[in-house]
Amino acid sequence: MNPGKSHAGMPNVGTVTSVRGSVVDVRFDDKLPPIHTVLHADDGRIVLEVLAQRDAQHVRAIALTPTQGLARGRPVLDTGGPLKAPVGKGILSRMFDVFGNAIDRQAAPTDVQWRSVHRAPPPLAKRATQSEVFETGIKGIDVLMPLERGGKAGLFGGAGVGKTVLLTEMIHNMVGHQEGVSIFCGIGERCREGEELYRDMKAAGVLPNMVMVFGQMNEPPGARFRVGHTALTMAEYFRDDEHRDVLLLIDNIFRFIQAGMEVSGLMGQMPSRLGYQPTMGTELSGLEERIANTDTGAITSIQAVYVPADDFTDPAAVHAFSHLSASIVLSRKRASEGLYPAIDPLQSSSKMATPGIVGERHYALAQEIRSTLAQYAQLKDIIAMLGLEQLSAQDRNVVGRARRLERFLTQPFFTTEQFTGLQGKLVSLADALDGCERILRDEFKDYPESALYMIGKIDEAKSKAKANVKQTADSHEA
C-alpha cells in the first residue's frame, strides 16, 4: 500500500487520542483519511480501519488486530488505501487470514494481485436471469429443497445439529464432481474446525481447487467483520476474471452479524431490537448482494446460520432468511433420532421447487412426500396416546410410507466415514426421485424400515434386507 500523503507530499501521520478496547480515536492535523482507510500503528503491528470521521480533525477507527501496548500520543500512519485481499491462481490450495497473509505454514504466494475488499455488487444488467438447479448429491436436499446455481442457501440450526458436517460434505461432492472452485470462509468459528477441514480436504484430494479464509473466534470483532469481504473478493476474481463457477461456503453468517453488533456497540451506536446494530440490514445486504450469478460465471453460496436458542423469529435469522433462495433447516429432534442429515423437510423450502424449473414429475413427487410427512406429523400425537393399532388401515399405510421415506432420506457421508464406519454415498437426483416414487407406490411396504436406513440408491435396500435376514438366521442357529 502506498502511504497517504499530506499536502507537502510527506506521509500522513496522525496521533492516537484515545484507546477503548478495539476502538481507537486518531487526530490528523493535515489531511483526514476517508472511511475504510487502513491505518498502521506500532510499525504496522496494529492495524486499524477508519469507520467514522468525527469532526474535521478526528477519525474513529476499529482495530483489526489486538491493541495491547497502544497508548495515547503514539503516531499512526495513514496507508492511503482500504483493506486488500490477494487474488490470482496462486491462492488456490492455500489458507489465509483477513489480511491475506498465508496461515498454512508455507511461503506467501507470489503470483497474486491485491484488490480492495470493498467492492460494489454486479449491476442488474450483468446478472443472469435464467434459473438453474445446482445438484449436491444429497438426497434430501436435491429432492425437497433444490439449490439454485448462483443462489444463496441457508443452513439453519442450533449448536451441534450438523451444520459444519453438511457443509464439508458439500465441498467434497462439489469439488470432486464439478470443475469449480470452492472457497471456505470461516467467520468466528473454532480453530479446531479449520485445522480439521484443511486435513480432510487434503486427504480427499480436493485442496488444489480450494481456498480457505479464516477469522477465528478469538480475533477482534473488526477482523471477524471483514473476513467475509476478503473471501468474497477472492470469489469475484474466479467468477469475473477466470469465468469459473465458485462455491462459497460461509460458516457462520450469524457470526458476521454478531461481529457487526460488537463493532456497533464499541462505536457507541444506539442498539435496536434485542441489542442488534441499527445498521444490520445494510451490512448484511452489502455482503449478500455481491454473491450473484452473472453472464461470465456464478458464485453459489451455502451459509450456515446459527439460530440463537433455536428461535427463528430472532432478527438475525429473519434478516438472513430474506436473502436466501433456499433454506435448509436442521432439527435437533431428528438428530436425536439418528436421522442424519437432520434436515426438517416441513420447515425447509426452496423457491426453485416449482414445476417450471424442476419439471412436473419432480414437483409432484416433492409435494406428495411433504404431504405424506405432514400427515404423519399430525398422527404422531394419536399414536403416542392410543398406539398404532387404533389408526385406520389408510392412516397406517401413510405412517409406514412416511417412516420409510424418513429413513430413505438419510445418507452416509464421505466426511463421516471414519466415525460411522459406513462408506459415503453420492446419489444422483434421478436415483433419489426413483427411490421416493417407489416407496410412495408401496413397493417396499413389506421391507423392514431398517433396510432403508443409511443407504444410497433404493436397490441397496433389497440387498441390505437379505443380509439382515441371513444374519438373523445365522444368530438363531448359533
Side-chain angles (χ1 to χ4, degrees), residues 145 312 321 327-331 344-349 370:
M145 55 228 70
F312 284 89
F321 260 124
S327 49
I328 301 165
V329 178
L330 299 180
S331 135
D344 186 330
L346 300 177
Q347 270 195 293
S348 308
S349 63
R370 281 180 195 280

Side-chain angles (χ1 to χ4, degrees), residues 280-421:
M280 175 168 69
T282 317
E283 288 165 5
L284 191 61
S285 304
L287 192 72
E288 297 278 15
E289 286 299 301
R290 287 168 65 179
I291 300 168
N293 190 352
T294 67
D295 306 335
T296 55
I299 299 176
T300 303
S301 175
I302 299 169
Q303 308 169 5
V305 186
Y306 166 70
V307 181
D310 292 345
D311 174 19
F312 284 89
T313 61
D314 188 89
V318 171
H319 274 268
F321 260 124
S322 66
H323 290 280
L324 305 172
S325 54
S327 49
I328 301 165
V329 178
L330 299 180
S331 135
R332 194 173 302 284
K333 189 169 182 299
R334 293 178 82 79
S336 67
E337 289 169 10
L339 299 172
Y340 286 105
I343 298 166
D344 186 330
L346 300 177
Q347 270 195 293
S348 308
S349 63
S350 167
K351 70 169 193 185
M352 301 295 285
T354 62
I357 296 172
V358 296
E360 291 286 350
R361 174 176 174 251
H362 183 165
Y363 176 73
L365 266 175
Q367 291 299 93
E368 195 178 344
I369 292 165
R370 281 180 195 280
S371 161
T372 306
L373 294 173
Q375 282 175 273
Y376 176 43
Q378 287 174 336
L379 292 168
K380 273 182 179 172
D381 288 344
I382 299 171
I383 296 167
M385 287 187 290
L386 306 173
L388 195 61
E389 299 74 36
Q390 300 302 316
L391 296 180
S392 66
Q394 191 181 354
D395 283 348
R396 277 205 296 274
N397 282 341
V398 168
V399 171
R401 276 180 221 134
R403 288 181 64 85
R404 282 167 179 78
L405 278 171
E406 280 185 340
R407 276 143 191 79
F408 177 62
L409 292 175
T410 62
Q411 191 166 340
F413 281 176
F414 292 98
T415 44
T416 56
E417 278 179 9
Q418 73 220 55
F419 307 116
T420 60

Side-chain angles (χ1 to χ4, degrees), residues 185-204:
C185 174
I187 306 180
E189 285 300 297
R190 302 162 188 83
C191 60
R192 165 184 68 76
E193 292 177 350
E195 188 269 337
E196 281 175 7
L197 181 71
Y198 184 80
R199 225 171 344 119
D200 293 346
M201 295 301 111
K202 199 168 183 177

